[in-house]
């Protein structure tokens, strides 16, 4: 009788495992696809591929692929992710403050409340730059240029309503000009906006510091200021706040699971991500990329997104980019 119960229990366990065959037993068995809702060369693409590298290097996933789905500040990729990743144990999305802003300014039917926050990853300074041959030498010079003719001051950066756009609008407002009249050219990938800057097609540009660090250090771009509240070691450009402007903006990025992912599936993803972002490999990537560690676990990240959405909505409303 005792053996019968023993084998009956084993059979039940095997049957249960077979019925949940899509559920990974451990994080190491994960076969993941990460959606970067932007083109190649931008911050989300770089974060996705860096996370891909770290997940594989640490052995916290069996395989990882990255797909780019650009458009409308990330809302095209988000909408596709919500549709295909529902309940999926092997799909992830990288997104951040730019997608929060784009969802609001574009009146998108999708936003980050419809996916599951796994972890906040990085929180980086944005940098304001001008081409190396520009007569603009300082942030005060840029403010004077904007005040003289806001419409002829051409900005380039990421998607409309995103972090880059928000910072450009805040600087325009600080110059005493109408931010609703800003001449902002949005690109879905960092490579395109960089090309516009290097080609002399813009007055000023905004991007994550790490994305343009090479061109800043080579002298092809001149950094006027960063948006972080405090100075950052290794970055010569001073914060806007240290230059007399009451402006700070953190360009954060995080990782998300699809809607309705739960139970063992969700736990495996949380474990894989948390172990990876606490690893030596991830810390080395942060250092190489010039990114700041802004880690927060799932519950804390969820609360942060709610407050950040309210803050971004208030900023966008104040500069005419949202109702």
């Amino acid at each position: 009788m005792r053996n019968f119960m023993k084998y009956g229990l084993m059979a039940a366990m095997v049957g249960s495992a077979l019925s949940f065959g899509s559920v990974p037993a451990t994080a190491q068995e994960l076969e993941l696809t990460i959606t970067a809702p932007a083109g190649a060369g931008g911050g989300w693409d770089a974060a996705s591929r860096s996370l891909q590298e770290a997940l594989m290097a640490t052995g916290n996933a069996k395989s990882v692929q990255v797909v780019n789905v650009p458009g409308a500040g990330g809302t095209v990729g988000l909408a596709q992710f919500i549709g295909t990743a529902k309940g999926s144990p092997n799909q992830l999305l990288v997104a951040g403050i730019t997608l929060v802003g784009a969802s609001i300014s574009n009146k998108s039917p999708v936003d980050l409340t419809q996916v599951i926050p796994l972890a906040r990853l990085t929180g980086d300074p944005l940098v304001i730059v001008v081409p190396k041959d520009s007569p603009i030498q300082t942030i005060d010079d840029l403010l004077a240029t904007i005040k003289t003719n806001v419409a002829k001051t051409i900005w380039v950066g990421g998607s409309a309503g995103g972090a880059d756009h928000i910072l450009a609008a805040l600087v325009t407002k600080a110059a005493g000009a109408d931010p609703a009249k800003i001449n902002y050219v949005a690109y879905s990938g960092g490579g395109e906006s960089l090309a516009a800057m290097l080609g002399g097609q813009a007055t000023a540009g905004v991007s994550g510091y790490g994305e343009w660090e090479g061109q800043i250090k080579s002298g092809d771009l001149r950094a006027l200021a960063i948006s972080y509240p405090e100075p950052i070691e290794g970055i010569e450009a001073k914060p806007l706040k240290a230059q007399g402007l009451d402006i700070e903006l953190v360009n954060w990025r995080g990782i998300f699971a699809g809607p309705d992912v739960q139970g063992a599936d969700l736990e495996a993803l949380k474990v894989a991500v948390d172990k990876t972002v606490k690893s030596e490999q991830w810390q080395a990537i942060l250092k190489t990329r010039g990114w700041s560690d802004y880690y927060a676990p799932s519950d804390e990240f969820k609360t942060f997104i709610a407050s950040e959405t309210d803050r971004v909505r208030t900023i966008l409303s104040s500069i005419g980019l949202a109702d």
Side-chain angles (χ1 to χ4, degrees):
M1 180 67 177
R2 189 172 297 171
N3 285 339
F4 175 81
M5 292 177 65
K6 174 183 175 182
Y7 292 124
L9 178 60
M10 290 177 62
M13 291 172 66
V14 171
S16 176
L18 290 173
S19 66
F20 292 93
S22 64
V23 177
T26 65
Q28 289 81 1
E29 294 179 16
L30 290 169
E31 297 181 355
L32 300 172
T33 297
I34 301 176
T35 295
W44 291 341
D45 178 66
S48 298
R49 296 183 189 281
S50 295
L51 192 58
Q52 174 192 38
E53 177 186 338
L55 282 162
M56 294 293 291
T58 56
N60 285 313
K62 185 177 180 181
S63 66
V64 185
Q65 294 183 331
V66 174
V67 295
N68 295 86
V69 186
T75 56
V76 172
L78 176 60
Q80 179 175 306
F81 180 77
I82 289 172
T84 61
K86 185 174 182 179
S88 172
N90 54 16
Q91 293 198 53
L92 300 174
L93 172 82
V94 165
I97 187 175
T98 287
L99 205 153
V100 173
S103 295
I104 294 168
S105 61
N106 294 337
K107 297 182 175 65
S108 172
V110 294
D111 61 37
L112 291 179
T113 65
Q114 294 166 259
V115 291
I116 300 175
L118 294 178
R120 191 178 63 196
L121 300 175
T122 62
D124 307 319
L126 295 171
V127 63
I128 300 171
V129 302
V130 294
K132 64 178 181 180
D133 297 326
S134 172
I136 297 171
Q137 299 289 320
T138 66
I139 195 68
D140 286 338
D141 291 344
L142 178 58
L143 294 174
T145 299
I146 295 168
K147 190 171 184 178
T148 299
N149 196 326
V150 63
K152 287 189 177 180
T153 303
I154 303 172
W155 292 84
V156 296
S159 303
D164 300 350
H165 195 172
I166 290 172
L167 183 59
L170 288 173
V171 171
T172 299
K173 185 178 181 179
D178 183 356
K181 295 181 179 178
I182 186 173
N183 189 345
Y184 182 85
V185 182
Y187 293 98
S188 63
E192 294 174 320
S193 55
L194 176 60
M197 286 298 303
L198 296 177
Q201 300 164 18
T203 309
V206 181
S207 184
Y209 183 86
E211 294 170 44
W212 288 354
E213 182 178 18
Q215 289 73 29
I216 292 168
K217 290 186 173 180
S218 70
D220 291 314
L221 296 175
R222 182 183 304 125
L224 303 182
I226 59 172
S227 65
Y228 229 57
E230 303 95 18
I232 295 178
E233 184 179 355
I235 297 180
E236 291 186 11
K238 296 179 180 178
L240 287 160
K241 291 184 78 92
Q243 300 186 62
L245 298 180
D246 189 20
I247 298 172
E248 62 178 81
L249 196 67
V250 177
N251 184 28
W252 58 266
R253 303 183 187 98
I255 188 79
F256 301 81
D260 298 335
V261 179
Q262 53 192 315
D265 288 340
L266 183 59
E267 188 60 28
L269 292 174
K270 286 182 179 180
V271 168
V273 170
D274 286 353
K275 283 186 175 181
T276 299
V277 298
K278 293 174 183 176
S279 69
E280 293 180 1
Q281 291 90 335
W282 180 249
Q283 293 304 314
I285 288 172
L286 293 180
K287 186 175 181 179
T288 299
R289 290 278 190 179
W291 292 340
S292 300
D293 191 347
Y294 206 45
Y295 170 75
S298 179
D299 290 344
E300 183 181 335
F301 187 27
K302 183 177 181 179
T303 302
F304 170 81
I305 289 171
S307 63
E308 188 75 342
T309 298
D310 290 341
R311 187 177 77 96
V312 170
R313 189 184 302 278
T314 298
I315 293 173
L316 291 176
S317 297
S318 72
I319 59 180
L321 295 178
D323 296 334

